[in-house]
């Protein structure tokens, strides 16, 4: 079973060296964020991405299954007087957010830690609005002196295939620095199919 990032090593998530290998602003630049965007950072940890995202969007929902991570983020938010981040204790196989409420669901170095990837992808599909996007950043599957063990890592193709099988279409594959990849997906919503069907019915009746 994939292990969870140890909260006792939480300071590594905010290490200045990390800015050189996984720069949050460079990554957020790719996502087309604006002042209306509803952004969910699943597996937010100490807020390495939530904090800079909050400067660009309407609202950030920062979710994690480890309460201790959220406490660290809560202290930063208080200190910096940030008003548009909501901190939410998440669950292993579900995401406590309403249907169709999110424009961008973001997961950085989290997907390989999920115990129940299928359920989280189904939840991702539920909470994303029509036209919403799922962004997954994760470790490249290669030997390194840091990061999760090789056996717990997933290749880009494995992640793409899991997402395709669960209602997502790949829009972009790129490098997110020397050690990580970034994958951006569009959600395929059933409601879109239903809307098309209603339109077709209307044309038919007329
Ligand atoms: C390696 S840390 C990355 C933190 C942050 N995204 C970053 O890049 O700094 C992975 C985080 O994902 C969280 N996590 C793992 N499984 C999760 C799940 N099912 N739902 C929400 N968070 C999860 C862990 O608790 C941990 O804080």
């Amino acid at each position: 079973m994939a292990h969870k990032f140890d909260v006792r090593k939480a300071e590594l998530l905010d290490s200045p060296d990390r800015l050189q290998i996984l720069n949050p602003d460079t990554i957020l630049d790719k996502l087309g964020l604006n002042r209306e965007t509803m952004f969910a950072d699943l597996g937010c940890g100490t807020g390495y991405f939530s904090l800079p995202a909050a400067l660009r969007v309407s609202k950030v929902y920062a979710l994690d299954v480890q309460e201790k991570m959220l406490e660290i983020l809560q202290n930063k938010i208080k200190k910096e007087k940030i008003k548009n981040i909501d901190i939410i204790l998440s669950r292993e196989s579900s995401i406590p957010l309403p249907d169709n409420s999110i424009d961008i669901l973001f997961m950085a170095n989290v997907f390989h830690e999920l115990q129940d990837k299928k359920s989280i992808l189904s939840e991702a599909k539920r909470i994303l609005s029509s036209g919403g996007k799922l962004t997954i950043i994760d470790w490249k599957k290669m030997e390194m002196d840091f990061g999760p063990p090789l056996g717990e890592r997933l290749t880009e193709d494995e992640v793409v295939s899991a997402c395709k099988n669960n209602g997502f279409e790949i829009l972009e594959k790129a490098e997110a620095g020397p050690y990580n990849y970034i994958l951006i997906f569009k959600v395929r919503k059933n409601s879109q199919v239903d809307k098309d069907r209603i339109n077709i019915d209307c044309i038919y009746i007329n």
Side-chain angles (χ1 to χ4, degrees):
M1 192 201 292
H3 75 282
K4 302 285 177 207
F5 189 90
D6 186 346
V7 73
R8 287 171 302 180
K9 297 184 187 159
E11 76 281 356
L12 290 179
L13 296 174
D14 293 319
S15 136
D17 294 346
R18 214 178 161 207
L19 295 172
Q20 307 305 316
I21 60 165
L22 190 63
N23 187 283
D25 282 314
T26 311
I27 285 163
L28 294 172
D29 281 348
K30 285 179 182 290
L31 305 184
L33 306 176
N34 62 53
R35 287 278 167 210
E36 315 234 300
T37 305
M38 303 296 274
F39 185 94
D41 184 7
L42 185 69
C44 60
T46 59
Y48 184 72
F49 288 96
S50 297
L51 292 162
L55 299 173
R56 301 171 180 237
V57 302
S58 168
K59 168 79 89 185
V60 174
Y61 295 100
L63 303 115
D64 205 288
V65 287
Q66 297 194 68
E67 216 166 339
K68 288 259 179 301
M69 289 288 191
L70 297 178
E71 283 169 14
I72 297 170
L73 177 55
Q74 182 70 64
N75 287 335
K76 292 183 188 174
I77 289 173
K78 267 197 201 147
K79 209 166 145 198
E80 293 175 35
K81 297 190 171 54
I82 295 167
K83 300 273 183 250
N84 63 339
I85 300 183
D86 282 6
I87 291 183
I88 299 172
L89 183 62
S90 202
R91 294 189 277 266
E92 188 53 53
S93 305
S94 62
I95 308 175
L97 288 176
D99 297 359
N100 304 313
S101 58
I102 297 299
D103 300 307
I104 307 271
L105 174 60
F106 184 86
M107 288 188 232
N109 294 346
V110 177
F111 197 77
H112 72 275
E113 288 192 15
L114 300 176
Q115 279 171 28
D116 188 355
K117 296 176 177 55
K118 198 173 163 51
S119 296
I120 289 295
L121 288 173
S122 152
E123 283 286 90
K125 193 172 168 186
R126 179 184 65 75
I127 65 166
L128 280 168
S129 57
S130 163
K133 289 180 189 156
L134 167 66
T135 299
I136 297 181
I137 291 169
D138 221 320
W139 293 94
K140 292 181 186 174
K141 190 162 176 130
M142 59 190 215
E143 291 285 359
M144 312 172 188
D145 296 338
F146 43 84
L150 194 61
E152 291 182 10
R153 298 178 185 217
L154 297 158
T155 63
E156 289 158 273
D157 288 348
E158 285 169 328
V159 179
V160 169
S161 155
C163 292
K164 272 191 181 164
N165 292 337
N166 287 283
F168 291 89
E169 205 175 293
I170 184 80
L171 293 177
E172 195 181 333
K173 271 184 192 184
E175 298 235 320
Y179 305 107
N180 296 84
Y181 52 79
I182 177 168
L183 304 168
I184 303 177
F185 299 89
K186 182 172 107 178
V187 66
R188 287 195 309 260
K189 286 289 221 186
N190 295 334
S191 59
Q192 191 55 48
V193 175
D194 293 345
K195 256 194 244 152
D196 291 348
R197 194 172 297 141
I198 291 162
N199 288 339
I200 289 164
D201 285 346
C202 291
I203 293 163
Y204 188 70
I205 289 162
N206 289 336

